[in-house]
Amino acid sequence: QKHIKLDDSGAIITEKMARDLNVKRGDIVEIINNDNKKAKVKIIDITENYLSHYIYMSPKYYENLTKDEVHYNSQYFKLNKKASEKKLTNYCDHHENITSIQYVSGISEGFYSQMESLDSVVFILIVCAGALAFIVLYNLTNINIQERKSEIATIKVLGFYPKEVYDYVFRENIILAFIGSIVGLGLGKIIHAYLIRTVEVDMAMFIRTVNIRCYMIAIILTMAFTFLINLYMRRVLKKIDMVESLKSIE
């Protein structure tokens, strides 16, 4: 975690704002305050923030820009464990100089409750992707076995044990599934970056990194589907009669 120092040489803006304005450290941006006074602000650093846009500057830098005295209209507090939100809210409601109060915990809970609706969408996408993988693997394996019926019957005649026959046919599936998983992770990262930037709203920034655990789960699920297909298709191999090899034109 990087600590950013705020000094009197400029202002710090949030990352999402920097991307929307297409600015970087050292650039100059123009701002307008509540009194419609314009000022040019130098950006000295960019901070990570995921909800809303903010500009941070020191009181001295603000006074030098606007030639006005700083007037504070909000205050941040960190409540201790013994403090009661209910009592504090009750006190603020009866204080004429306080117009509103917000709790970080309440904002966080509200945001997560809105995001919960996406969980069902993600679950549906995972189920559909799993069903698609299952169907594709099943069809490809079935076609592969049907096309190589005479070959499989021949190796049975040559005395291959059932496990050796299974490994002979299904080893290809496992290798190809693993290679496909690795390639899919690279393509998935590109698609994920595109989707995140597409669905973002102006006032929020989503996390762009993907946890390594998600990659591992994707590989495990793909390989699990492959093993299930291989296990299911064993009965197809068992039904192949060795006499088929004698019927072959070869």
Side-chain angles (χ1 to χ4, degrees):
Q1 186 178 6
K2 178 185 175 183
H3 294 278
I4 299 175
K5 183 179 179 182
L6 181 64
D7 54 34
D8 300 331
S9 63
I12 299 174
I13 65 174
T14 53
E15 184 177 347
K16 176 70 173 179
M17 180 189 292
R19 294 188 183 206
D20 290 343
L21 297 176
N22 194 24
V23 295
K24 58 185 183 301
R25 295 180 184 87
D27 289 348
I28 305 295
V29 296
E30 188 177 71
I31 63 172
I32 303 175
N33 63 9
N34 293 334
D35 297 328
N36 292 324
K37 291 183 179 180
K38 297 181 180 180
K40 292 185 177 181
V41 178
K42 180 182 178 181
I43 302 172
I44 59 173
D45 217 326
I46 297 172
T47 184
E48 190 176 53
N49 186 72
Y50 294 97
L51 190 63
S52 296
H53 307 302
Y54 296 100
I55 299 178
Y56 304 96
M57 62 182 71
S58 65
K60 184 177 180 181
Y61 185 71
Y62 175 82
E63 291 175 355
N64 291 334
L65 281 177
T66 62
K67 309 303 180 184
D68 291 332
E69 184 180 353
V70 177
H71 297 284
Y72 298 100
N73 56 11
S74 61
Q75 193 69 267
Y76 291 88
F77 295 97
K78 184 177 181 180
L79 299 179
N80 55 38
K81 295 181 179 179
K82 295 182 180 179
S84 172
E85 292 185 0
K86 186 176 181 180
K87 289 183 179 179
L88 181 60
T89 302
N90 196 27
Y91 169 80
C92 294
D93 289 341
H94 292 82
H95 200 291
E96 60 180 9
N97 292 326
I98 300 176
T99 57
S100 65
I101 181 171
Q102 289 183 325
Y103 298 99
V104 174
S105 58
I107 297 174
S108 178
E109 290 175 2
F111 180 76
Y112 279 115
S113 63
Q114 293 177 357
M115 291 296 103
E116 282 180 358
S117 59
L118 293 177
D119 292 342
S120 58
V121 178
V122 173
F123 178 76
I124 293 173
L125 289 176
I126 292 174
V127 172
C128 292
L132 179 62
F134 192 89
I135 293 170
V136 170
L137 285 172
Y138 174 80
N139 288 332
L140 290 177
T141 305
N142 191 42
I143 293 171
N144 184 33
I145 293 174
Q146 297 302 323
E147 290 289 333
R148 301 169 62 183
K149 237 179 183 181
S150 298
E151 178 187 347
I152 296 169
T154 301
I155 65 174
K156 282 188 174 185
V157 171
L158 293 176
F160 278 58
Y161 289 104
K163 186 179 183 304
E164 293 175 327
V165 176
Y166 299 151
D167 292 341
Y168 178 77
V169 177
F170 297 141
R171 188 184 292 115
E172 299 174 6
N173 286 359
I174 296 173
I175 295 174
L176 291 175
F178 183 75
I179 295 174
S181 299
I182 301 301
V183 175
L185 291 181
L187 294 176
K189 184 174 178 61
I190 296 173
I191 295 174
H192 171 267
Y194 170 76
L195 289 177
I196 288 298
R197 285 175 170 80
T198 302
V199 301
E200 271 185 357
V201 294
D202 292 336
M203 294 301 293
M205 183 180 74
F206 294 157
I207 298 175
R208 287 168 169 76
T209 57
V210 181
N211 195 301
I212 189 65
R213 183 178 61 181
C214 297
Y215 290 116
M216 298 305 298
I217 292 174
I219 294 177
I220 291 172
L221 286 176
T222 303
M223 299 308 297
F225 282 126
T226 304
F227 282 111
L228 285 174
I229 290 294
N230 291 345
L231 187 64
Y232 180 78
M233 296 303 292
R234 285 188 177 189
R235 66 178 188 173
V236 179
L237 291 178
K238 289 180 181 178
K239 293 179 180 179
I240 296 178
D241 193 355
M242 288 184 289
V243 180
E244 289 286 338
S245 64
L246 303 177
K247 295 180 181 180
S248 175
I249 298 176
E250 299 174 1

